[in-house]
Short mmCIF file of all heavy atoms in Angstrom, two decimals:
data_model
loop_
_atom_site.label_atom_id
_atom_site.label_comp_id
_atom_site.label_asym_id
_atom_site.label_seq_id
_atom_site.Cartn_x
_atom_site.Cartn_y
_atom_site.Cartn_z
N LEU A 276 -2.40 6.18 3.03
CA LEU A 276 -2.99 4.89 3.41
C LEU A 276 -4.51 4.99 3.43
O LEU A 276 -5.20 4.03 3.09
CB LEU A 276 -2.46 4.43 4.77
CG LEU A 276 -0.97 4.09 4.81
CD1 LEU A 276 -0.56 3.71 6.23
CD2 LEU A 276 -0.62 3.00 3.83
N GLY A 277 -5.02 6.14 3.79
CA GLY A 277 -6.46 6.35 3.76
C GLY A 277 -7.02 6.24 2.35
O GLY A 277 -8.11 5.69 2.14
N VAL A 278 -6.28 6.75 1.38
CA VAL A 278 -6.68 6.63 -0.02
C VAL A 278 -6.73 5.16 -0.43
O VAL A 278 -7.68 4.71 -1.07
CB VAL A 278 -5.73 7.43 -0.94
CG1 VAL A 278 -5.95 7.11 -2.40
CG2 VAL A 278 -5.89 8.93 -0.70
N LEU A 279 -5.72 4.39 -0.03
CA LEU A 279 -5.70 2.97 -0.35
C LEU A 279 -6.87 2.24 0.33
O LEU A 279 -7.53 1.41 -0.29
CB LEU A 279 -4.37 2.34 0.08
CG LEU A 279 -3.19 2.70 -0.81
CD1 LEU A 279 -1.88 2.32 -0.14
CD2 LEU A 279 -3.31 2.04 -2.16
N ARG A 280 -7.11 2.57 1.59
CA ARG A 280 -8.24 1.95 2.31
C ARG A 280 -9.56 2.25 1.61
O ARG A 280 -10.40 1.37 1.46
CB ARG A 280 -8.30 2.45 3.75
CG ARG A 280 -7.30 1.84 4.67
CD ARG A 280 -7.56 2.31 6.11
NE ARG A 280 -6.43 2.03 6.96
CZ ARG A 280 -5.54 2.94 7.36
NH1 ARG A 280 -5.65 4.20 6.98
NH2 ARG A 280 -4.54 2.59 8.13
N SER A 281 -9.74 3.51 1.18
CA SER A 281 -11.00 3.89 0.54
C SER A 281 -11.18 3.18 -0.80
O SER A 281 -12.30 3.02 -1.27
CB SER A 281 -11.10 5.41 0.37
OG SER A 281 -10.18 5.86 -0.59
N ALA A 282 -10.07 2.73 -1.40
CA ALA A 282 -10.15 1.97 -2.65
C ALA A 282 -10.33 0.47 -2.38
O ALA A 282 -10.40 -0.32 -3.31
CB ALA A 282 -8.88 2.20 -3.48
N GLY A 283 -10.39 0.09 -1.09
CA GLY A 283 -10.65 -1.30 -0.74
C GLY A 283 -9.42 -2.10 -0.36
O GLY A 283 -9.53 -3.29 -0.03
N TYR A 284 -8.25 -1.49 -0.39
CA TYR A 284 -7.03 -2.21 -0.05
C TYR A 284 -6.83 -2.25 1.46
O TYR A 284 -7.33 -1.40 2.19
CB TYR A 284 -5.81 -1.57 -0.73
CG TYR A 284 -5.84 -1.77 -2.22
CD1 TYR A 284 -6.33 -0.78 -3.06
CD2 TYR A 284 -5.43 -2.97 -2.77
CE1 TYR A 284 -6.39 -0.98 -4.43
CE2 TYR A 284 -5.49 -3.18 -4.13
CZ TYR A 284 -5.97 -2.18 -4.96
OH TYR A 284 -6.04 -2.39 -6.30
N ARG A 285 -6.11 -3.26 1.91
CA ARG A 285 -5.79 -3.41 3.32
C ARG A 285 -4.33 -3.05 3.53
O ARG A 285 -3.48 -3.43 2.72
CB ARG A 285 -6.08 -4.84 3.78
CG ARG A 285 -7.56 -5.18 3.65
CD ARG A 285 -7.84 -6.56 4.14
NE ARG A 285 -9.25 -6.89 3.91
CZ ARG A 285 -9.71 -8.12 3.93
NH1 ARG A 285 -8.89 -9.14 4.15
NH2 ARG A 285 -10.99 -8.34 3.72
N VAL A 286 -4.05 -2.36 4.61
CA VAL A 286 -2.71 -1.83 4.82
C VAL A 286 -2.04 -2.39 6.08
O VAL A 286 -1.22 -1.73 6.70
CB VAL A 286 -2.72 -0.28 4.82
CG1 VAL A 286 -3.07 0.25 3.44
CG2 VAL A 286 -3.67 0.28 5.86
N PHE A 287 -2.40 -3.62 6.44
CA PHE A 287 -1.72 -4.38 7.49
C PHE A 287 -1.86 -3.74 8.86
O PHE A 287 -0.94 -3.78 9.68
CB PHE A 287 -0.24 -4.59 7.12
CG PHE A 287 -0.06 -5.01 5.70
CD1 PHE A 287 0.29 -4.09 4.72
CD2 PHE A 287 -0.32 -6.31 5.32
CE1 PHE A 287 0.41 -4.48 3.40
CE2 PHE A 287 -0.20 -6.71 4.00
CZ PHE A 287 0.17 -5.79 3.03
N ASP A 288 -3.03 -3.17 9.12
CA ASP A 288 -3.26 -2.52 10.41
C ASP A 288 -3.09 -3.48 11.59
O ASP A 288 -2.80 -3.03 12.70
CB ASP A 288 -4.66 -1.90 10.46
CG ASP A 288 -4.77 -0.67 9.57
OD1 ASP A 288 -3.81 0.12 9.53
OD2 ASP A 288 -5.82 -0.50 8.92
N ASN A 289 -3.26 -4.78 11.36
CA ASN A 289 -3.11 -5.74 12.46
C ASN A 289 -1.65 -6.01 12.82
O ASN A 289 -1.37 -6.53 13.89
CB ASN A 289 -3.82 -7.06 12.14
CG ASN A 289 -3.25 -7.74 10.91
OD1 ASN A 289 -2.85 -7.06 9.95
ND2 ASN A 289 -3.23 -9.04 10.90
N VAL A 290 -0.70 -5.63 11.96
CA VAL A 290 0.71 -5.88 12.25
C VAL A 290 1.59 -4.64 12.16
O VAL A 290 2.74 -4.67 12.57
CB VAL A 290 1.31 -6.99 11.34
CG1 VAL A 290 0.68 -8.34 11.62
CG2 VAL A 290 1.19 -6.62 9.88
N ILE A 291 1.06 -3.55 11.61
CA ILE A 291 1.84 -2.32 11.44
C ILE A 291 1.07 -1.17 12.08
O ILE A 291 -0.13 -1.00 11.84
CB ILE A 291 2.09 -2.02 9.95
CG1 ILE A 291 2.93 -3.14 9.32
CG2 ILE A 291 2.79 -0.68 9.77
CD1 ILE A 291 3.12 -3.00 7.82
N ASP A 292 1.77 -0.36 12.86
CA ASP A 292 1.17 0.86 13.43
C ASP A 292 1.18 1.93 12.33
O ASP A 292 2.21 2.55 12.06
CB ASP A 292 1.96 1.33 14.64
CG ASP A 292 1.45 2.65 15.20
OD1 ASP A 292 0.39 3.15 14.75
OD2 ASP A 292 2.13 3.19 16.08
N ASN A 293 0.04 2.11 11.70
CA ASN A 293 -0.07 3.06 10.59
C ASN A 293 -0.54 4.44 11.02
O ASN A 293 -0.94 5.25 10.18
CB ASN A 293 -1.04 2.50 9.54
CG ASN A 293 -0.44 1.35 8.79
OD1 ASN A 293 0.70 1.40 8.36
ND2 ASN A 293 -1.20 0.28 8.64
N SER A 294 -0.46 4.74 12.31
CA SER A 294 -0.92 6.05 12.78
C SER A 294 -0.11 7.19 12.19
O SER A 294 -0.59 8.32 12.14
CB SER A 294 -0.90 6.09 14.31
OG SER A 294 0.41 5.91 14.80
N TYR A 295 1.10 6.93 11.70
CA TYR A 295 1.91 7.97 11.08
C TYR A 295 1.19 8.61 9.90
O TYR A 295 1.41 9.78 9.59
CB TYR A 295 3.26 7.41 10.62
CG TYR A 295 3.17 6.44 9.46
CD1 TYR A 295 3.21 6.89 8.15
CD2 TYR A 295 3.03 5.07 9.68
CE1 TYR A 295 3.12 6.01 7.09
CE2 TYR A 295 2.94 4.19 8.64
CZ TYR A 295 2.97 4.66 7.33
OH TYR A 295 2.87 3.79 6.28
N ASP A 296 0.32 7.87 9.24
CA ASP A 296 -0.36 8.37 8.04
C ASP A 296 -1.31 9.52 8.36
O ASP A 296 -1.67 10.27 7.46
CB ASP A 296 -1.12 7.22 7.38
CG ASP A 296 -1.68 7.60 6.01
OD1 ASP A 296 -0.88 8.03 5.15
OD2 ASP A 296 -2.90 7.47 5.82
N ASP A 297 -1.70 9.67 9.62
CA ASP A 297 -2.63 10.73 10.01
C ASP A 297 -1.94 12.02 10.45
O ASP A 297 -2.61 12.98 10.81
CB ASP A 297 -3.52 10.23 11.16
CG ASP A 297 -4.37 9.05 10.75
OD1 ASP A 297 -4.80 9.00 9.58
OD2 ASP A 297 -4.59 8.16 11.60
N ILE A 298 -0.63 12.04 10.44
CA ILE A 298 0.12 13.20 10.94
C ILE A 298 0.39 14.17 9.78
O ILE A 298 1.12 13.83 8.84
CB ILE A 298 1.45 12.75 11.59
CG1 ILE A 298 1.16 11.78 12.74
CG2 ILE A 298 2.25 13.97 12.07
CD1 ILE A 298 2.40 11.13 13.32
N PRO A 299 -0.17 15.37 9.82
CA PRO A 299 -0.02 16.30 8.70
C PRO A 299 1.38 16.90 8.55
O PRO A 299 1.83 17.16 7.44
CB PRO A 299 -1.05 17.40 8.97
CG PRO A 299 -1.43 17.26 10.40
CD PRO A 299 -1.10 15.86 10.83
N ASP A 300 2.08 17.11 9.66
CA ASP A 300 3.42 17.71 9.59
C ASP A 300 4.42 16.70 9.04
O ASP A 300 4.59 15.61 9.63
CB ASP A 300 3.85 18.17 10.98
CG ASP A 300 5.24 18.78 10.96
OD1 ASP A 300 5.39 19.91 10.47
OD2 ASP A 300 6.18 18.08 11.42
N PRO A 301 5.11 17.02 7.94
CA PRO A 301 6.03 16.06 7.31
C PRO A 301 7.15 15.56 8.25
O PRO A 301 7.48 14.38 8.24
CB PRO A 301 6.62 16.81 6.13
CG PRO A 301 5.67 17.91 5.85
CD PRO A 301 5.03 18.26 7.17
N THR A 302 7.71 16.45 9.04
CA THR A 302 8.80 16.04 9.94
C THR A 302 8.28 15.10 11.01
O THR A 302 8.88 14.05 11.27
CB THR A 302 9.46 17.27 10.58
OG1 THR A 302 9.95 18.13 9.54
CG2 THR A 302 10.61 16.87 11.49
N GLN A 303 7.16 15.44 11.62
CA GLN A 303 6.58 14.58 12.65
C GLN A 303 6.13 13.24 12.06
O GLN A 303 6.27 12.20 12.70
CB GLN A 303 5.42 15.28 13.35
CG GLN A 303 5.85 16.50 14.15
CD GLN A 303 6.92 16.16 15.18
OE1 GLN A 303 6.80 15.19 15.93
NE2 GLN A 303 7.98 16.95 15.23
N ARG A 304 5.58 13.28 10.83
CA ARG A 304 5.17 12.04 10.17
C ARG A 304 6.39 11.15 9.92
O ARG A 304 6.36 9.95 10.16
CB ARG A 304 4.42 12.33 8.87
CG ARG A 304 3.82 11.09 8.24
CD ARG A 304 2.92 11.40 7.05
NE ARG A 304 3.53 12.21 6.03
CZ ARG A 304 3.34 13.52 5.87
NH1 ARG A 304 2.52 14.18 6.66
NH2 ARG A 304 3.96 14.19 4.92
N TRP A 305 7.49 11.74 9.47
CA TRP A 305 8.71 10.96 9.21
C TRP A 305 9.22 10.32 10.51
O TRP A 305 9.61 9.15 10.52
CB TRP A 305 9.79 11.83 8.57
CG TRP A 305 11.12 11.14 8.60
CD1 TRP A 305 12.20 11.48 9.33
CD2 TRP A 305 11.47 9.94 7.91
NE1 TRP A 305 13.22 10.57 9.12
CE2 TRP A 305 12.80 9.61 8.26
CE3 TRP A 305 10.79 9.09 7.03
CZ2 TRP A 305 13.45 8.50 7.76
CZ3 TRP A 305 11.46 7.97 6.53
CH2 TRP A 305 12.77 7.69 6.89
N LEU A 306 9.23 11.09 11.61
CA LEU A 306 9.70 10.53 12.88
C LEU A 306 8.81 9.37 13.33
O LEU A 306 9.30 8.35 13.81
CB LEU A 306 9.75 11.63 13.94
CG LEU A 306 10.81 12.71 13.70
CD1 LEU A 306 10.66 13.84 14.71
CD2 LEU A 306 12.22 12.12 13.73
N ALA A 307 7.50 9.52 13.17
CA ALA A 307 6.59 8.44 13.52
C ALA A 307 6.79 7.23 12.61
O ALA A 307 6.75 6.08 13.06
CB ALA A 307 5.14 8.93 13.45
N LEU A 308 7.01 7.47 11.33
CA LEU A 308 7.25 6.38 10.38
C LEU A 308 8.54 5.65 10.72
O LEU A 308 8.61 4.42 10.67
CB LEU A 308 7.30 6.93 8.95
CG LEU A 308 7.63 5.94 7.86
CD1 LEU A 308 6.61 4.81 7.81
CD2 LEU A 308 7.67 6.65 6.51
N LYS A 309 9.55 6.41 11.11
CA LYS A 309 10.82 5.80 11.52
C LYS A 309 10.59 4.86 12.71
O LYS A 309 11.11 3.74 12.74
CB LYS A 309 11.81 6.91 11.90
CG LYS A 309 13.18 6.42 12.28
CD LYS A 309 14.09 7.62 12.54
CE LYS A 309 15.42 7.16 13.03
NZ LYS A 309 15.66 7.46 14.42
N ASN A 310 9.77 5.28 13.67
CA ASN A 310 9.44 4.41 14.81
C ASN A 310 8.67 3.18 14.35
O ASN A 310 8.89 2.08 14.85
CB ASN A 310 8.63 5.18 15.85
CG ASN A 310 9.48 6.17 16.60
OD1 ASN A 310 10.69 6.03 16.70
ND2 ASN A 310 8.84 7.21 17.13
N THR A 311 7.76 3.36 13.41
CA THR A 311 6.99 2.24 12.87
C THR A 311 7.92 1.21 12.24
O THR A 311 7.78 0.01 12.46
CB THR A 311 5.96 2.74 11.84
OG1 THR A 311 5.00 3.55 12.52
CG2 THR A 311 5.26 1.59 11.14
N ILE A 312 8.87 1.68 11.46
CA ILE A 312 9.83 0.77 10.81
C ILE A 312 10.67 0.04 11.84
O ILE A 312 10.92 -1.17 11.73
CB ILE A 312 10.70 1.55 9.79
CG1 ILE A 312 9.82 2.02 8.63
CG2 ILE A 312 11.86 0.68 9.30
CD1 ILE A 312 10.49 3.02 7.71
N GLU A 313 11.10 0.75 12.87
CA GLU A 313 11.87 0.09 13.95
C GLU A 313 11.04 -0.99 14.64
O GLU A 313 11.53 -2.07 14.92
CB GLU A 313 12.36 1.13 14.97
CG GLU A 313 13.49 1.99 14.47
CD GLU A 313 14.73 1.20 14.10
OE1 GLU A 313 15.07 0.23 14.81
OE2 GLU A 313 15.36 1.54 13.09
N ASN A 314 9.77 -0.70 14.87
CA ASN A 314 8.88 -1.69 15.49
C ASN A 314 8.70 -2.91 14.60
O ASN A 314 8.65 -4.05 15.08
CB ASN A 314 7.53 -1.08 15.82
CG ASN A 314 7.61 -0.10 16.97
OD1 ASN A 314 8.52 -0.17 17.79
ND2 ASN A 314 6.67 0.83 17.03
N ILE A 315 8.59 -2.69 13.29
CA ILE A 315 8.47 -3.81 12.36
C ILE A 315 9.73 -4.67 12.42
O ILE A 315 9.66 -5.89 12.46
CB ILE A 315 8.23 -3.31 10.92
CG1 ILE A 315 6.83 -2.68 10.81
CG2 ILE A 315 8.39 -4.45 9.91
CD1 ILE A 315 6.61 -1.93 9.51
N LYS A 316 10.88 -4.01 12.43
CA LYS A 316 12.13 -4.76 12.50
C LYS A 316 12.21 -5.61 13.77
O LYS A 316 12.64 -6.75 13.73
CB LYS A 316 13.32 -3.79 12.42
CG LYS A 316 13.53 -3.23 11.04
CD LYS A 316 14.52 -2.09 10.99
CE LYS A 316 15.86 -2.40 11.57
NZ LYS A 316 16.83 -1.29 11.44
N GLN A 317 11.76 -5.06 14.88
CA GLN A 317 11.79 -5.82 16.14
C GLN A 317 10.79 -6.97 16.12
O GLN A 317 11.12 -8.07 16.58
CB GLN A 317 11.49 -4.88 17.31
CG GLN A 317 12.59 -3.92 17.60
CD GLN A 317 12.21 -2.90 18.66
OE1 GLN A 317 11.13 -2.95 19.24
NE2 GLN A 317 13.11 -1.96 18.92
N ARG A 318 9.60 -6.73 15.59
CA ARG A 318 8.57 -7.78 15.56
C ARG A 318 8.90 -8.87 14.56
O ARG A 318 8.43 -9.99 14.68
CB ARG A 318 7.21 -7.18 15.21
CG ARG A 318 6.58 -6.47 16.36
CD ARG A 318 5.13 -6.25 16.16
NE ARG A 318 4.42 -7.50 16.04
CZ ARG A 318 3.29 -7.65 15.38
NH1 ARG A 318 2.73 -6.64 14.78
NH2 ARG A 318 2.68 -8.81 15.32
#
Side-chain angles (χ1 to χ4, degrees):
L276 294 177
V278 169
L279 287 167
R280 283 186 195 103
S281 69
Y284 291 97
R285 297 182 184 163
V286 293
F287 314 100
D288 288 321
N289 61 325
V290 293
I291 297 175
D292 175 8
N293 288 314
S294 61
Y295 69 89
D296 189 56
D297 298 325
I298 302 172
D300 179 74
T302 302
Q303 294 304 312
R304 187 172 53 259
W305 167 249
L306 293 173
L308 177 60
K309 183 176 176 251
N310 288 336
T311 294
I312 293 168
E313 287 299 321
N314 289 337
I315 291 169
K316 286 170 55 177
Q317 289 174 3
R318 283 197 62 207

